[in-house]
Amino acid sequence: MAIKSKNKFQKTKNEKVMVCSGGRYESQANAQIREAIISGWESVFGEGNVISTNIAGAAAAIEYIKPKIVFSIGSYLPESTYFGEVCHRAKKFGAITIFWATEDPYEQDANYRIIDDFDVIFSCDRWGTNFYNHPHTHFLPLAACEKLHYRPIDETIEKTVDVMFCGVAFGSRKDVMRSIKPALTNLKVKIIGPGWGEFGIGFSDARIEKDQLIELYQRSKIVLNLGRSLHFENKRYMIMPSNPGPRTFEASAAGAMQLFHEDNYAIHDFYERDEVPVFSTRYDFQQQLDKYLNDPDLLLETAKKAQARTLRDHLYNNRIQTVMEILKNDGFLD
């Protein structure tokens, strides 16, 4: 059973939050994150008090909605994504303006587009917070959404896949896969995402929907977690990601047993080793495969521990509670 977060903050009647994002260039992944973030805000302000707007119409909507908080999310890179007008209108009506950079650290060279407009900036990357010249910059990792990602662990489902991974075949991921591929020989593998087809049997260039992915989690014994390294506008400092991406939390919420490639990701700030085990080398990987594939009970126990941790500490409900605490500590809320 899912663990509910206690709401520490009592809102005033009719206070509203406006979540502003994307426009026509918003990716499917960011659209799903937006839906999950809205669910987190609803846990604090209640359904009906959280309004999602497209950036193209957000400034005009503020006068009608009169939100207490304007919470902008996503990418600030596209030239068509200009948040300045939204912030100016929000401040005219006394709203707190917040930006959550959910694409950090890959767009850091362009952060000048937001630092002068928002009251508070949150970065989804811990190290990335050091590169904003802004007095109210804070770390806020991404998370899972109970409504979208949680599935009870069903022990009756047959696990027909030994090792699976879903995600784009970025160069860094290909390097890891080439290293560990010999250990996958004679195993039932399912590696899915654009760019993987060239690796041969068990690898596919297909894209799948969220519900299909969650079903695959449930049918897989081990889910690989390989971080990405793709720099859109990150050439000045070449900041490497310093904490897990959202799929780490989403997969655990869905009941997956993950094997995490530990590079410079601070996975242990979020999960214990008996919740999300790690590997760094081909030797580590082989050792972990032998350990878990030969012990179904340990596989199940590990997945249950990771799911429990996620439902307790790593839902968007938790992240929004953190936002509210920071707004209070920084003097934006009484």
Side-chain angles (χ1 to χ4, degrees):
M1 180 177 292
I3 301 171
K4 304 294 184 181
S5 298
K6 185 177 180 181
N7 187 351
K8 302 176 185 177
F9 295 92
Q10 299 299 319
K11 75 176 191 68
T12 303
K13 186 178 181 180
N14 295 326
E15 285 182 343
K16 297 186 184 299
V17 172
M18 192 175 86
V19 177
C20 173
S21 64
R24 58 178 177 162
Y25 294 109
E26 183 179 46
S27 67
Q28 182 182 12
N30 273 338
Q32 292 176 359
I33 288 174
R34 169 169 46 83
E35 184 180 357
I37 290 171
I38 289 170
S39 178
W41 276 109
E42 287 176 342
S43 72
V44 177
F45 278 71
E47 292 186 18
N49 293 310
V50 182
I51 296 92
S52 176
T53 61
N54 184 298
I55 190 171
I62 287 170
E63 185 171 357
Y64 173 74
I65 297 170
K66 294 183 175 59
K68 182 179 183 66
I69 295 172
V70 174
F71 193 78
S72 299
I73 60 174
S75 170
Y76 46 74
L77 189 57
E79 290 294 328
S80 61
T81 306
Y82 174 60
F83 290 97
E85 183 182 1
V86 176
C87 289
H88 297 158
R89 184 64 63 89
K91 290 173 183 178
K92 179 180 177 181
F93 287 90
I96 304 165
T97 57
I98 303 170
F99 191 87
W100 190 2
T102 59
E103 290 288 345
D104 270 356
Y106 306 109
E107 302 176 348
Q108 276 288 349
D109 292 356
N111 71 28
Y112 64 89
R113 293 173 57 82
I114 60 170
I115 57 175
D116 292 329
D117 294 318
F118 289 91
D119 295 319
V120 183
I121 293 175
F122 290 98
S123 172
C124 70
D125 187 80
R126 188 188 302 276
W127 184 238
T129 60
N130 295 298
F131 297 87
Y132 287 94
N133 184 19
H134 191 287
H136 298 286
T137 302
H138 302 275
F139 171 52
L140 189 70
L142 294 170
C145 174
E146 183 177 345
K147 182 169 67 174
L148 297 178
H149 304 122
Y150 169 70
R151 300 292 187 278
I153 294 177
D154 186 347
E155 298 179 34
T156 67
I157 295 177
E158 183 182 4
K159 294 189 179 295
T160 57
V161 179
D162 291 320
V163 178
M164 72 83 63
F165 174 77
C166 181
V168 176
F170 296 121
S172 58
R173 288 173 173 169
K174 285 185 174 182
D175 290 342
V176 175
M177 190 61 71
R178 290 189 186 100
S179 172
I180 66 174
K181 191 180 178 187
L184 300 176
T185 304
N186 300 323
L187 296 180
K188 295 178 181 177
V189 301
K190 201 168 187 66
I191 312 297
I192 304 170
W196 289 117
E198 66 184 67
F199 278 69
I201 296 173
F203 294 77
S204 167
D205 291 319
R207 291 181 181 270
I208 60 175
E209 298 298 323
K210 175 178 64 68
D211 288 342
Q212 294 174 297
L213 177 58
I214 290 177
E215 182 183 347
L216 264 178
Y217 288 154
Q218 294 175 317
R219 293 196 293 108
S220 300
K221 296 174 184 176
I222 292 176
V223 174
L224 285 181
N225 190 314
L226 307 178
R228 70 173 183 170
S229 181
L230 179 66
H231 305 289
F232 300 109
E233 288 290 337
N234 185 24
K235 297 178 176 61
R236 184 179 181 188
Y237 298 109
M238 290 297 290
I239 308 164
M240 297 301 294
S242 60
N243 49 270
R247 192 160 287 178
T248 305
F249 308 112
E250 296 167 5
S252 288
M257 204 304 285
Q258 296 185 81
L259 188 51
F260 190 96
H261 178 246
E262 187 175 37
D263 187 358
N264 59 347
Y265 300 91
I267 183 65
H268 305 299
D269 290 340
F270 301 90
Y271 294 96
E272 300 294 336
R273 290 180 182 272
D274 63 348
E275 296 168 343
V276 176
V278 303
F279 72 97
S280 297
T281 67
R282 183 190 307 179
Y283 176 79
D284 293 340
F285 183 67
Q286 185 67 68
Q287 294 290 104
Q288 296 286 41
L289 285 183
D290 293 342
K291 176 180 178 179
Y292 286 96
L293 291 180
N294 292 317
D295 193 340
D297 291 338
L298 181 60
L299 273 173
L300 178 62
E301 179 186 358
T302 305
K304 286 182 176 180
K305 287 181 178 179
Q307 186 180 68
R309 168 76 70 173
T310 302
L311 295 176
R312 185 175 70 245
D313 296 337
H314 301 309
L315 296 176
Y316 281 102
N317 307 26
N318 305 105
R319 304 298 187 246
I320 299 307
Q321 292 289 342
T322 298
V323 169
M324 299 298 285
E325 290 170 3
I326 288 172
L327 292 180
K328 185 175 181 180
N329 292 338
D330 282 9
F332 292 99
L333 290 176
D334 296 332

